[in-house]
Amino acid sequence: MTESGTGRISSPVSHLNNFDLLRFVLASVVFIYHSHVLSGSPELAVLSRWFSAEFAVESFFVVSGFLVFSSFEHSASTRAYFGKRLRRIYPAYAAVVLGVAMFGALFTSVSLSDYFSVDWLRYLAANLTFLNFLAADLPGLFENNAWRAVNGALWTLKIEVAFYVSVPVIAIVCARLGRSQTLAALYLLSVAYVIAMEQLAAETGQFVYVQLARQLPGQLCYFVGGAACFYFRDVVAQHWRWASPLSLLLLLAPMPHTAQIVIEPAALAVVVTFIAVGARYFGNFGRYGDFSYGIYIVHFPILQILVSIGLFAANPYLALGVATIAVLAAAFACWHLVEKPFLQRSSHYVVAARFS
């Protein structure tokens, strides 16, 4: 599989990278942002001003494009590739969906017979198959919160799974038409879709088009941006000195909105990749495990619970501290009890632990 595409993968990705630390930071940004959005506390408004969940999620998709294509290219077969993806994402995901559905019985405003109802089963069926939008809430749970969704952060997981499924198909097309041509075409189609959806939103006033722009294929440009940085990393690395500051400048510079849609994903891909593999190595962060996924999939319901019991209203700073401890503890448990046992011996995290 290492020869799929237009030629052999030039060099492996060095283990001396900052991907583990970067993902931890990005997951923490999403948690910090949601701390204000879900609580609505004026005292925490600075959190959503200085931190952007949208930026963090888009960066996650870039990281995913880089690492997932790397995983595919270094898998013995397509079946082995899907096996790795399944073990990495689904056990913890299913555990959180099931755990929250059961634990929610302690906080629901309805009777247990009404809680464990057809709607509860519908929630499990939808969420265990990544169709969160079909059943976002549970009976009597978080009814007085500003947001009723049990775990609103999970909407990105269906996109991530779609990316996983698309990788072998993209690789086949790359092999026939060329990597640069294929990835460029997918990038342009993705940004064209976003522009079209936003134009429809402006013309009709229907917010649904804004929501559609955030779905596939709107996020594909970030994923293929990460993929391009993986496949052409040797070329990109030769130009870090000017490519990374220029890309950062493009991210920060004001420009017409349409130009921003076209340019921002590519610029973000370069900046994120530079931080991960081009900047100074910050150490073997992976030796502790990967808590980023756990933080991402558990923080939302924990915040919702603390909002529902009134802790944020009573003392937002105390609530934020309690939430931070609870989220980190839950992510730690999720890693050691669920995620790690499903990893192969050759997993990056198993290897990293040997050098701790």
Side-chain angles (χ1 to χ4, degrees), residues 251-264:
L251 287 177
L252 299 176
M255 64 179 67
H257 185 59
T258 300
Q260 183 182 26
I261 293 173
V262 175
I263 294 172
E264 190 255 355

Side-chain angles (χ1 to χ4, degrees), residues 31 298-299 302-303 306 319-333:
F31 159 59
V298 304
H299 79 275
I302 288 176
L303 288 171
L306 296 180
L320 181 60
V322 171
T324 300
I325 294 171
V327 167
L328 290 176
F332 181 87

Side-chain angles (χ1 to χ4, degrees), residues 34-63:
H34 282 151
S35 296
H36 170 246
V37 171
L38 296 182
S39 69
S41 172
E43 292 89 341
L44 301 180
V46 65
L47 299 181
S48 60
R49 285 200 300 267
W50 286 97
F51 296 93
S52 169
E54 182 179 13
F55 173 82
V57 167
E58 291 165 352
S59 299
F60 263 128
F61 287 145
V62 170
V63 170

Side-chain angles (χ1 to χ4, degrees), residues 137-148:
D137 54 282
L138 283 164
L141 197 60
F142 309 142
E143 286 183 319
N144 296 321
N145 289 15
W147 299 72
R148 279 207 61 186

Side-chain angles (χ1 to χ4, degrees), residues 54-306:
E54 182 179 13
F55 173 82
V57 167
E58 291 165 352
S59 299
F60 263 128
F61 287 145
V62 170
V63 170
S64 182
F66 191 105
L67 295 180
V68 172
F69 271 93
S70 176
S71 174
F72 175 77
E73 292 289 354
H74 296 97
S75 296
S77 64
T78 300
R79 180 177 180 180
Y81 157 76
F82 279 122
K84 287 190 293 185
R85 293 299 93 208
L86 179 65
R87 284 190 294 272
R88 185 66 192 93
I89 195 173
Y90 198 71
Y93 177 88
V96 168
V97 170
L98 289 167
V100 171
M102 295 298 298
F103 195 66
L106 299 177
F107 299 93
T108 183
S109 61
V110 300
S111 66
L112 291 182
S113 60
D114 288 334
Y115 180 75
F116 293 109
S117 61
V118 173
D119 289 335
W120 185 83
L121 293 174
R122 185 181 296 113
Y123 174 86
L124 284 184
N127 283 265
L128 289 174
T129 54
F130 301 101
L131 301 177
N132 321 86
F133 60 94
L134 294 179
D137 54 282
L138 283 164
L141 197 60
F142 309 142
E143 286 183 319
N144 296 321
N145 289 15
W147 299 72
R148 279 207 61 186
V150 175
N151 201 339
L154 298 185
W155 70 271
T156 64
L157 273 297
K158 65 180 180 298
I159 297 176
E160 189 75 7
V161 170
F163 286 157
Y164 293 170
V165 174
S166 72
V167 166
V169 178
I170 294 173
I172 291 172
V173 178
C174 283
R176 295 183 178 180
L177 302 181
R179 287 199 188 105
S180 57
Q181 298 92 324
T182 300
L183 296 178
L186 290 173
Y187 184 96
L188 293 175
L189 287 172
S190 177
V191 297
Y193 169 83
V194 174
I195 293 171
M197 289 299 104
E198 294 202 354
Q199 182 65 31
L200 285 171
E203 292 176 355
T204 64
Q206 298 293 320
F207 183 70
V208 64
Y209 292 112
V210 176
Q211 293 176 312
L212 288 173
R214 298 171 65 226
Q215 304 297 324
L216 282 177
Q219 302 290 348
L220 185 60
C221 50
Y222 298 98
F223 187 69
V224 298
C229 287
F230 164 70
Y231 279 124
F232 303 107
R233 62 193 178 280
D234 293 335
V235 175
V236 174
Q238 295 174 7
H239 304 286
W240 282 137
R241 182 167 297 182
W242 64 266
S244 52
L246 175 61
S247 297
L248 181 60
L249 180 63
L250 289 172
L251 287 177
L252 299 176
M255 64 179 67
H257 185 59
T258 300
Q260 183 182 26
I261 293 173
V262 175
I263 294 172
E264 190 255 355
L268 183 63
V270 172
V271 171
V272 167
T273 304
F274 173 75
I275 294 171
V277 300
R280 181 174 69 88
Y281 178 53
F282 288 100
N284 184 13
F285 195 78
R287 68 184 181 272
Y288 303 113
D290 180 15
F291 305 128
S292 60
Y293 186 45
I295 290 172
Y296 189 83
I297 61 178
V298 304
H299 79 275
F300 203 99
I302 288 176
L303 288 171
Q304 286 285 67
I305 288 171
L306 296 180

